[in-house]
Amino acid sequence: MRFKIVVLFFLSILMIQCTKKLPSPSTNVSNVDKSLLPKREMRGVWIATIENIDWPSAKGLSSDKQQQEFSEMLDFQSQLGLNAVFVQVRPASDAFYARSLEPWSEWLTGTQGIAPEPYYDPMRFMIEEAHSRNMEFHAWFNLNRGQYRNAKSIDPNHITIKHPEWFIAYDGHKIYNFGLPQVREYITQLIVNVVRHYDIDGIHFDDYFYPYPVAGQVLDDNESFKTYNRGISDLGDWRRDNVNILVKQISDAINSEKKWVKFGISPFGIWRNKSVDPQGSPTQGGQSYDELFADTRKWAKEGWIDYIAPQIYFAFEHPKVPFQPLLDWWAGTSVKCNLFVGHAIYKAGADSKDAGWSDVRQIPKQIAAVRNVEEVSGSIFYSANWLKKNKLSISDSIKTAYQYPSLQPLVAWKDDVPPLKPIDVKLTFNKDGKPAISWNVTQENSSENEAKSFVIYRFDYGKTTNYKDPKNILKIFRNFGELRFTDEKAVSGKTYHYAITALDRVQNESEPSEMIQVRL
């Protein structure tokens, strides 16, 4: 034992003597090079909670079991290379979080209004779990649903009981009447409450605005139209304006509370068909503008939202709404926000009857198509359980596509000031002889520019020092206080250069630190 200790001691001295600090290259780390795999890319997944689609696996599980399931799910998603989760925290005017103005969700505890046992705050837990894996957490809200038609329990303090005049019965649901100013204000304050109390990265809405039309059903909001029409004579234009007001109001409220929190929407894929509107897409399908009264294109072009992720839930081979033309249409809309694509991995399967969805190449081709369009910055997959099922090896394909780490796309309109670069970079070795890098940060004047995470770059000796190539990223991780990283993948006999950059809340990247060389 004494002999081994002595050998390791002298080996450590020898290794330290072989290290050398090198000056930082003048490379701009924020530029994008489309000839390489994306260094910045949204790689998200939706986690649906309504009817326990994705999580928890059943109502009324113990808190420990809920937490175990969520942690294991994120472990799996992280291994696939995903970097963001979109978790449904308000499926039907109920809550998967403690600091809520609405009752606990029945899909969490089994009975609406009953807290988890033992008590914990699910959203705080989920945020911490996501951040510990360097994944963004976006709080996903269902916007229009007051009461779900399949709800088994309604708490006496539920909003549909306290304010029944705010809702319209439609297809078995109770739907918010967006024409009422008090409804829009209530929803806005719900969002502000979450932004204020939780360290979320984004607020997210899906495609539910006014409800999808159902044959034989009438959405009766005539009285509110008469009272609150604001001089608008057409019912459809008034409904669209109601949603526009709400989206803009929420956008302003988020920016006033915490401007680094991103606001995004994932609408139905078709805005309008070209046969109806010359500015529409070359498709033949339902239209969000006309049927859901959601002018999705307007929100993106006006810059009211920070990202839009149209649900292009169609295969390349779809006869009326093929994937590529719709993707190209969105790419050509000159949006003032980030553009992602929602993918329908739930449709894939060897037994699928939908054209194209039995093809094992469908999702890999879609990811490749997204990457091939400069205006699009990533993908979100629906939904988590279908990743786990791995039909047609979809998860394996995603893992291959996302084999290198990725930063999030920039949101320069929110903040374009990078944090200061890491300083005092030092290198030591652990007991196994693996290089361990430590560093410090300079205190920022603004919390917005504070270093929230770090990127560790490693370059092989003699190779080009390229900060734009994600193959050179060894690890991205959140700042939890211990500024130290051990390269467990370092190979004996090789020489490496290491450098570190800092990322702020919206992933502006600093200049690289001074570079350290080590010969193992």
Side-chain angles (χ1 to χ4, degrees), residues 158-192:
H158 193 261
I159 193 66
T160 57
I161 304 297
K162 293 167 68 174
H163 287 286
E165 72 279 9
W166 288 4
F167 297 91
I168 304 169
Y170 191 83
D171 194 32
H173 303 286
K174 290 183 180 178
I175 303 296
Y176 279 95
N177 185 349
F178 295 139
L180 302 177
Q182 54 269 43
V183 164
R184 299 193 296 269
E185 181 61 27
Y186 173 75
I187 293 172
T188 301
Q189 290 310 309
L190 282 173
I191 303 301
V192 169

Side-chain angles (χ1 to χ4, degrees), residues 410-421:
L410 289 167
V411 282
W413 51 92
K414 280 188 170 290
D415 176 16
D416 62 356
V417 180
L420 298 175
K421 68 181 181 180

Side-chain angles (χ1 to χ4, degrees), residues 282-346:
T283 52
Q284 302 173 57
Q287 305 169 109
S288 64
Y289 183 95
D290 301 271
E291 295 167 15
L292 307 180
F293 305 100
D295 193 352
T296 56
R297 178 174 173 269
K298 181 181 181 68
W299 313 331
K301 289 182 73 67
E302 293 290 339
W304 294 349
I305 53 181
D306 299 305
Y307 64 86
I308 191 165
Q311 297 172 16
I312 307 185
Y313 284 3
F314 312 95
F316 285 96
E317 298 80 4
H318 195 286
K320 294 185 177 181
V321 192
F323 182 88
Q324 189 69 53
L326 189 51
L327 172 67
D328 292 339
W329 181 86
W330 274 105
T333 53
S334 302
V335 300
K336 294 180 180 178
C337 65
N338 280 323
L339 174 59
F340 310 139
V341 168
H343 301 267
I345 59 173
Y346 70 93

